[in-house]
Amino acid sequence: MVEKKIAVRSQEANQRRVLDRATRQRRLTRQLEALEKDNFQDDPHASLPQLAKRLPQFDESNESSKKRKKTRGDHFKQRFRKNFQALLEEENLSVSEGPNYLSACAEPSKLPQRHFCAVCGFPSNYTCVSCGARYCCVRCLGTHHETRCLKWTV
Amino acid sequence: MTTLVLDNGAYTAKIGYSHEKVSVIPNCQFRSKTSRLKTFTASQLDEIKDPSGLFYILPFQKGYLVNWDVQRKVWDHLFGKEMFKVDFADTSIVITEPYFNFTSIQESMNEILFEEYQFQAALRINAGSLSAHRYFQENSSELCCIVVDSGFSFTHIVPYCRGKKMKDGICRLNVGGKLLTNHLKEIISYRQLHVMDETYVINQVKEDVCYVSQDFYKDMDIAQLKGEENTVMRDYVLPDFSAIKKGFCKPREEMNFTGKYKTGEQILRLNNERFAVPEMLFHPSDIGIQEMGIPEALVNSVHNLPEEMQPHFFKNIVLTGGNTLFPGFRDRVYKDVRSLTPTDFDVSVVQPQNPICYSWEGGKLLSENPDFDEMVVTREDYEENGHFICEEKFDI
């Protein structure tokens, strides 16, 4: 009886897809990147046609100064439009001497890693076989399988 | 000649004339679901009646200024007639920048301050240096201090000795208020109610209910108890922006432990989230960021400095930035640093009255300093020597 049960379990484990280390790391990186986002929703103006441009200009006398401002804006857009990653690469820090942005980052902690249930947030003792997420009890494991485990597919 | 002090943070700008008071103003633009044609800039946030689903346009990325279009719109608004009515021909500016700011950002900054706005003189400086300046002014017998600046994008730990920053000791944790709010949003959305679009509301929730635990695992045990015994649990009433303008915590007496309320307001039930979220500042590894927490990084940073200075740093730990306002933050930093340092060192952690504006006040003091005129670059200097003179004079 007992033997049979073990057999069923290991069979199940074989069938279940198990993510390798690299994939798990990729998922974690993606989750951490998501925490840097400014907004999760779409820009409420994104779906609108660009009305502002088509509106008639009542203030004719202001026209010339407006035009000047606009060209200046375009100049700035070209000159200054860079994202963080591009700026970081441009600095070429890996070859420069002395402390810099990259070297100032805190080192990994010397304290042992702590583990928390991915579902309820309480301390956890178990690891999901498939994806490596932590869980604390059968109930949370069930929730985890139904909602997250492999569903945010790799 | 007047001086404008601007602590240009990634989330709020702390701005004011050196002879006046400071104002804290959002350093970004907003779009709202309800007013579809308008983009709101900085303090116009107050005009938005329904900030649910508020869309942020931030000039900063990871703490560095990248979106100049947005930044210039915010500055136009701040310097313009609606707010500070800056007379550029008769004004100098003290403006803050992040540590290790990229060269191209620094050059753009010079150009915009001198060529666009035409300030008469400018001083670009790190916010932490202003904090340190203020600390040394107020505690003139101290030789060293270590500034912990925990803001929106990241947390910096920076040692200062006799007013000079010690570059080798600078340490950055990539954990700031934005990450905490996003993490709280994420776990609430997973566990009870979808709030991924509600950055504004959840940031308020974070400020209202989160705290730093003094004994993390003990609080975890309390949070697992049921009913009356669970002293951690709180019910937070979400705003609907008609009857309830601002969310609030249900008073303990009115809490209903079944979680059902007859009044029909929308409730968030917060339990271990209350202290697990700010815990990221102390253990970033809990969510997989492999970096030291604040106390460990602080002790590590001090250990890399000359031995004879070390006791002075432990005696003068200064906490600044919005994250230090979590209840219990100071006590926890003290407790952890104390347990990581030998007993013959004194440990003292100072939390200023207003940690958000502490560096602004430092800028105000600095502008009244007799050496101030020596430190700035004037417009003539800049026109004569260009970026070179700024690079020479400013220590970013």
Side-chain angles (χ1 to χ4, degrees), chain A residues 139-152:
Chain A
R139 235 183 97 209
C140 286
L141 178 66
T143 317
H144 169 70
H145 276 315
E146 280 164 26
T147 53
R148 287 229 156 141
C149 186
L150 293 175
K151 299 219 163 152
W152 283 359

Side-chain angles (χ1 to χ4, degrees), chain A residues 9 12 99 103 125 151:
Chain A
R9 269 197 190 174
E12 243 178 41
S103 70
N125 291 322
K151 299 219 163 152

Side-chain angles (χ1 to χ4, degrees), chain B residues 171-195:
Chain B
C171 178
R172 183 191 70 251
L173 279 71
N174 293 314
V175 182
K178 179 189 194 174
L179 184 114
L180 301 187
T181 301
N182 277 342
H183 181 60
L184 181 61
K185 235 164 49 173
E186 216 260 343
I187 54 181
I188 291 176
S189 299
Y190 183 52
R191 292 176 195 170
Q192 41 183 330
L193 181 70
H194 181 82
V195 291

Side-chain angles (χ1 to χ4, degrees), chain B residues 66 71 86 93 96-97 101 110 120 157 175 179 188 193 242 256 258 294 334 339 341 357-358 364 377:
Chain B
V66 293
Q71 183 63 89
V86 179
I93 188 167
T96 64
E97 278 178 33
N101 201 5
N110 293 335
Q120 291 312 299
I157 293 165
V175 182
L179 184 114
I188 291 176
L193 181 70
S242 61
N256 179 346
T258 58
I294 291 177
Y334 174 79
S339 67
T341 39
C357 299
Y358 192 74
K364 179 192 168 98
V377 167

Side-chain angles (χ1 to χ4, degrees), chain B residues 151-163:
Chain B
F152 178 69
S153 322
F154 40 42
T155 300
H156 272 103
I157 293 165
V158 190
Y160 281 87
C161 179
R162 295 180 195 271

Side-chain angles (χ1 to χ4, degrees), chain B residues 43-167:
Chain B
S43 63
Q44 288 171 347
L45 174 62
D46 303 337
E47 294 169 20
I48 303 176
K49 300 228 164 49
D50 179 3
S52 59
L54 196 67
F55 186 87
Y56 286 76
I57 310 166
L58 298 160
F60 282 74
Q61 238 176 43
K62 297 198 175 199
Y64 291 85
L65 216 182
V66 293
N67 199 339
W68 289 95
D69 285 350
V70 177
Q71 183 63 89
R72 278 170 64 238
K73 291 215 179 79
V74 174
W75 283 351
D76 283 345
H77 176 80
L78 292 179
F79 300 153
K81 55 181 181 294
E82 279 171 74
M83 300 211 61
F84 283 90
K85 303 177 188 69
V86 179
D87 173 16
F88 297 105
D90 190 40
T91 307
S92 353
I93 188 167
V94 176
I95 190 165
T96 64
E97 278 178 33
Y99 292 99
F100 305 116
N101 201 5
F102 302 133
T103 322
S104 66
I105 301 181
Q106 295 193 40
E107 288 177 359
S108 311
M109 189 73 104
N110 293 335
E111 282 170 30
I112 287 177
L113 293 180
F114 287 117
E115 294 172 27
E116 277 283 304
Y117 292 109
Q118 311 224 327
F119 279 102
Q120 291 312 299
L123 169 61
R124 298 181 7 242
I125 192 165
N126 300 126
S129 307
L130 297 177
S131 302
H133 177 77
R134 173 149 183 222
Y135 187 78
F136 288 126
Q137 289 261 303
E138 286 169 359
N139 307 273
S140 46
S141 59
E142 300 300 338
L143 301 172
C144 304
C145 75
I146 186 158
V147 177
V148 178
D149 186 354
S150 185
F152 178 69
S153 322
F154 40 42
T155 300
H156 272 103
I157 293 165
V158 190
Y160 281 87
C161 179
R162 295 180 195 271
K164 283 284 288 173
K165 74 172 172 227
M166 309 195 59
K167 277 199 167 177

Side-chain angles (χ1 to χ4, degrees), chain A residues 34-35 37-42 148, chain B residues 33 51-56 178 180-206 236-241 266-270 273 277:
Chain A
L35 290 179
K37 278 167 85 168
D38 295 343
N39 299 287
F40 286 79
Q41 73 272 41
D42 293 327
R148 287 229 156 141
Chain B
K33 280 189 301 199
S52 59
L54 196 67
F55 186 87
Y56 286 76
K178 179 189 194 174
L180 301 187
T181 301
N182 277 342
H183 181 60
L184 181 61
K185 235 164 49 173
E186 216 260 343
I187 54 181
I188 291 176
S189 299
Y190 183 52
R191 292 176 195 170
Q192 41 183 330
L193 181 70
H194 181 82
V195 291
M196 289 311 276
D197 302 348
E198 303 297 340
T199 311
Y200 180 81
V201 176
I202 300 303
N203 187 49
Q204 194 64 51
V205 175
K206 178 190 80 178
Y236 188 87
V237 181
L238 288 168
D240 58 9
F241 299 112
Q266 212 168 17
I267 300 280
L268 279 185
R269 173 153 281 192
L270 294 144
E273 296 86 356
V277 168

